[in-house]
Amino acid sequence: ETETGSGSAAHGPPRAALSELSALLAPAAGEAVRAGAAETALALSGSAAGRRMLAGRPAVVAALLELAAGPCPPAARDALGCLVNVSAEPAAHGPLLAALPTLLGLLPAGPACGVLANLCRERGAARRVLRGLRERGSGLTPLLQALGEPRPPPQLGPLLCNLSQLPEGRRGLLDRSRCSVQRLLPFTQYKDSTVHRRGVVGALRNCCFEAEDHEWLLSEEVDILPFLLLPLAGPEEFPEDEMERLPLDLQYLPQDKQREEEPDIRKMLLEAIMLLTATKPGRHVVRDKGTYVILRELHRCEQEPDVLAACENLIQVLIGDEPGPGMENLLEVKIPEEVEEQLQRGDREEERWRREEEEAGGSTPCPEEPSG
């Protein structure tokens, strides 16, 4: 990712200049002046220092929101682009959530999805966004309909992923009457946007936490397994007996078939399948569909340690003995306290590492590629 700011703005604007910027963004300044101020704000938001200072000025955030919803396309575009960047800063979350109806009214435009995706990293904010969508009477419908566009906004994937971290978000995606989750499935192979593909795979992985839906997800009505396996498959040829066990979409793949190139997406796909094996019926279907042969070939060529570990864990479940009485649903097995603490400590370490990496590299979510 590259910074969108340039020049002296990269070192952070003086506070007096920010006060002046706030005045230039106000309606009294006139359309042309406000458009120029929005362009300046977008440039400032390309640096970590500029984002922090903009985020700490609720009046600036509010003026940018008003411009984003206004009638002037260039000013609205720059204002919303700036807000995508600024929304990565916790200090901006209060003013942005206070203007939630305005943001929801801009959906399903990509930059609006980007702002909300950044906000929804926090569970509390995600809950407020879901409540706001329900109160508008549309729920997730506008977002799901946008998936049907010729080129869906890439920021849509991260937003759906972050909303699905909550049970109520997963319920919206697993609404059987609307065929909601089925709309996500084709995007596991979507080549036009890694950001969108990563977000959709993350949302599908989250949906697989709902054990009561596993049989339905694996049934012909949804048939999720081939969509999770296909990105993990390569061009290998299999003996006839193994080939016949595979879903039709995974049989006789072309010689130029490539596996998913992003390690974190491969890992999420494996995690989703692992979740589907949590129940006995799920394990039976996943085994019966020849999953092992796809994983066997993936294991032979996989170089990333985390992905390799996820692959080995899943293979172990598929080739291992059935769990004993009371352990049939692995999602309901009680995790020992010390193990849970270890997992949480690992999550905290990973989050700290990611934060330090972002700060060291100066990278930032941008209008085209907000972080999920």
Side-chain angles (χ1 to χ4, degrees):
E1 292 174 294
T2 58
E3 295 181 356
T4 52
S6 60
S8 61
H11 299 98
R15 294 187 179 276
L18 268 180
S19 297
E20 184 181 346
L21 181 63
S22 181
L24 295 176
L25 288 166
E31 190 174 288
V33 173
R34 296 179 82 197
E39 188 178 358
T40 300
L42 176 60
L44 294 178
S45 72
S47 73
R51 285 194 304 278
R52 283 193 293 270
M53 295 194 74
L54 288 166
R57 291 288 179 128
V60 171
V61 175
L64 287 167
L65 274 164
E66 188 180 345
L67 263 181
C72 177
R77 183 184 62 245
D78 288 344
L80 202 44
C82 176
L83 289 171
V84 174
N85 288 346
V86 171
S87 62
E89 298 293 328
H93 290 188
L96 288 170
L97 285 170
L100 193 54
T102 300
L103 282 171
L104 294 178
L106 297 172
L107 289 174
C113 289
V115 174
L116 291 167
N118 278 338
L119 289 178
C120 290
R121 289 175 179 178
E122 299 172 0
R123 292 171 70 87
R127 195 164 281 115
R128 286 180 64 176
V129 169
L130 283 167
R131 187 167 63 241
L133 287 168
R134 281 197 307 272
E135 287 170 355
R136 291 175 69 85
S138 55
L140 296 178
T141 300
L143 304 181
L144 295 169
Q145 286 177 340
L147 290 172
E149 295 176 4
R151 289 181 65 86
Q155 302 94 332
L156 186 53
L159 176 56
L160 290 170
C161 179
N162 292 348
L163 291 174
S164 68
Q165 69 181 301
L166 298 172
E168 52 265 45
R170 295 194 288 273
R171 281 196 295 273
L173 292 177
L174 292 166
D175 184 339
R176 302 188 188 193
S177 67
R178 297 177 183 271
C179 296
S180 300
V181 75
Q182 288 93 325
R183 302 191 196 202
L184 298 175
L185 297 176
F187 292 99
T188 62
Q189 288 273 102
Y190 187 64
K191 301 302 182 190
D192 288 356
S193 169
T194 301
V195 170
H196 187 46
R197 188 169 75 253
R198 178 183 289 113
V200 166
V201 170
L204 288 171
R205 188 269 314 268
N206 289 347
C207 286
C208 290
F209 276 99
E210 301 298 323
E212 64 272 19
D213 288 299
H214 283 182
E215 287 190 62
W216 174 69
L217 287 169
L218 289 164
S219 72
E220 289 184 5
E221 193 174 346
V222 180
D223 203 19
I224 192 174
L225 187 59
F227 291 95
L228 300 176
L229 282 175
L230 189 55
L232 299 173
E236 296 83 12
E237 293 184 17
F238 299 109
E240 199 64 30
D241 61 325
E242 290 185 342
M243 190 73 79
E244 287 176 357
R245 292 186 64 193
L246 292 169
L248 285 175
D249 288 344
L250 279 91
Q251 294 181 13
Y252 304 104
L253 296 175
Q255 288 300 306
D256 60 353
K257 170 68 173 73
Q258 295 184 339
R259 289 183 172 85
E260 167 59 54
E261 60 187 20
E262 297 294 328
D264 61 329
I265 299 180
R266 294 198 300 275
K267 183 168 179 278
M268 285 192 291
L269 290 162
L270 290 164
E271 289 168 347
I273 301 170
M274 176 68 105
L275 287 165
L276 292 170
T277 66
T279 56
K280 188 172 182 177
R283 286 190 292 278
H284 176 75
V285 173
V286 174
R287 284 191 186 116
D288 194 48
K289 295 290 186 182
T291 301
Y292 170 72
V293 299
I294 299 295
L295 300 183
R296 182 187 67 203
E297 300 307 315
L298 172 66
H299 188 268
R300 285 175 179 166
C301 64
E302 182 57 62
Q303 301 293 316
E304 293 291 331
D306 287 351
V307 185
L308 199 59
C311 185
E312 289 171 354
N313 290 340
L314 180 50
I315 288 174
Q316 204 58 47
V317 169
L318 296 180
I319 67 174
D321 297 331
E322 273 296 306
M327 303 276 284
E328 291 89 348
N329 186 338
L330 301 180
L331 288 175
E332 293 176 356
V333 175
K334 176 68 176 169
I335 300 175
E337 257 181 57
E338 62 273 18
V339 175
E340 193 163 2
E341 285 174 10
Q342 270 186 324
L343 292 171
Q344 289 174 351
R345 190 158 56 245
D347 285 346
R348 287 195 296 270
E349 282 294 309
E350 185 178 354
E351 180 61 31
R352 181 179 62 79
W353 175 80
R354 282 181 181 167
R355 208 162 41 237
E356 288 174 356
E357 187 185 56
E358 284 181 7
E359 289 172 0
S363 63
T364 172
C366 65
E368 291 75 27
E369 296 194 1
S371 171

